[in-house]
Amino acid sequence: NTVKIMSIESLARILDNPDVVVLDVRTGRDWKSSTKKIKGALRADPGSFADWSTTYAKDKTIVLYCA
């Protein structure tokens, strides 16, 4: 498995794909105070990676974002 950096435009093209899971991994205050969130993104606490990292099917494309 490789980790790739994705452009905003590339993400926008795949947001409606059911095989894509978008996870918002911003830390507490950054997440809570943000007025901008990606529609459909799920919250995933980066400090609990070990807990949620095995939750998603391996055939899904997982997109993490923090900014």
Side-chain angles (χ1 to χ4, degrees), residues 22-46 65-67:
V22 180
L23 300 177
D24 185 336
V25 294
R26 291 179 285 178
T27 57
R29 188 170 62 177
D30 290 337
W31 181 74
K32 290 176 187 172
S33 66
S34 176
T35 59
K36 296 181 181 181
K37 296 182 170 92
I38 295 176
K39 182 180 176 182
L42 304 172
R43 174 76 175 114
D45 180 3
Y65 83 97
C66 61

Side-chain angles (χ1 to χ4, degrees), residues 5-22 38-39 61 63:
I5 295 176
M6 179 179 282
S7 71
I8 294 168
E9 295 80 16
S10 294
L11 178 58
R13 285 193 296 270
I14 64 169
L15 276 179
D16 292 329
N17 185 329
D19 291 327
V20 174
V21 178
V22 180
I38 295 176
K39 182 180 176 182
T61 297
V63 178

